[in-house]
């Protein structure tokens, strides 16, 4: 009896994320957002956390201060993955077909 194979498609949902720097009109040392510390900030870019949206401000909002994306840090991050039968695709934005495998 011949063995039947099923084709499975592996999908990943990708989201663009950035590191964020606190921008203010007042002179200050570079401050970047991080999820790894209680105060939510770090002075080292390599310790900054990627996120798709600016974090909630934890410092004074006076004088137009705000979080801004750090140029050159945009990264595609896989936030979900799913295996589906051939011919089906996930619902939502950011999904890409990574691999098709016959089982």
């Amino acid at each position: 009896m011949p063995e039947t194979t099923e084709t499975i498609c592996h999908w990943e949902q990708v989201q663009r994320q950035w590191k964020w720097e606190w921008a203010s009109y007042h002179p200050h040392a570079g401050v970047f957002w991080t999820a790894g510390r209680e105060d939510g900030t770090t002075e080292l870019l390599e310790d900054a956390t990627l996120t798709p949206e600016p974090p909630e401000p934890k410092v004074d909002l006076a004088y137009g201060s705000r979080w801004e994306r750090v140029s050159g840090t945009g990264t595609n991050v896989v936030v979900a993955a799913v295996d589906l039968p051939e011919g089906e695709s996930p619902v939502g934005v950011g999904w890409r077909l990574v691999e098709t495998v016959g089982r």
Side-chain angles (χ1 to χ4, degrees), residues 15-98:
Q15 181 181 64
R16 191 76 171 167
Q17 297 185 4
W18 295 266
K19 294 185 178 187
W20 297 83
E21 180 177 19
W22 187 248
S24 174
Y25 293 111
H26 295 290
H28 66 283
V31 176
F32 305 96
W33 181 78
T34 182
R37 293 183 47 184
E38 189 174 319
D39 69 354
T41 63
T42 180
E43 293 180 0
L44 301 174
L45 180 59
E46 56 269 11
D47 291 342
T49 304
L50 291 166
T51 184
E53 299 295 327
E56 290 294 319
K58 291 192 175 186
V59 293
D60 185 9
L61 289 174
Y63 303 104
S65 300
R66 65 197 173 281
W67 290 108
E68 289 188 350
R69 293 177 184 164
V70 177
S71 178
T73 65
T75 303
N76 289 334
V77 176
V78 175
V79 294
V82 66
D83 291 329
L84 297 172
E86 187 176 36
E88 292 185 26
S89 58
V91 177
V93 296
W95 289 96
R96 66 179 182 192
L97 178 62
V98 177

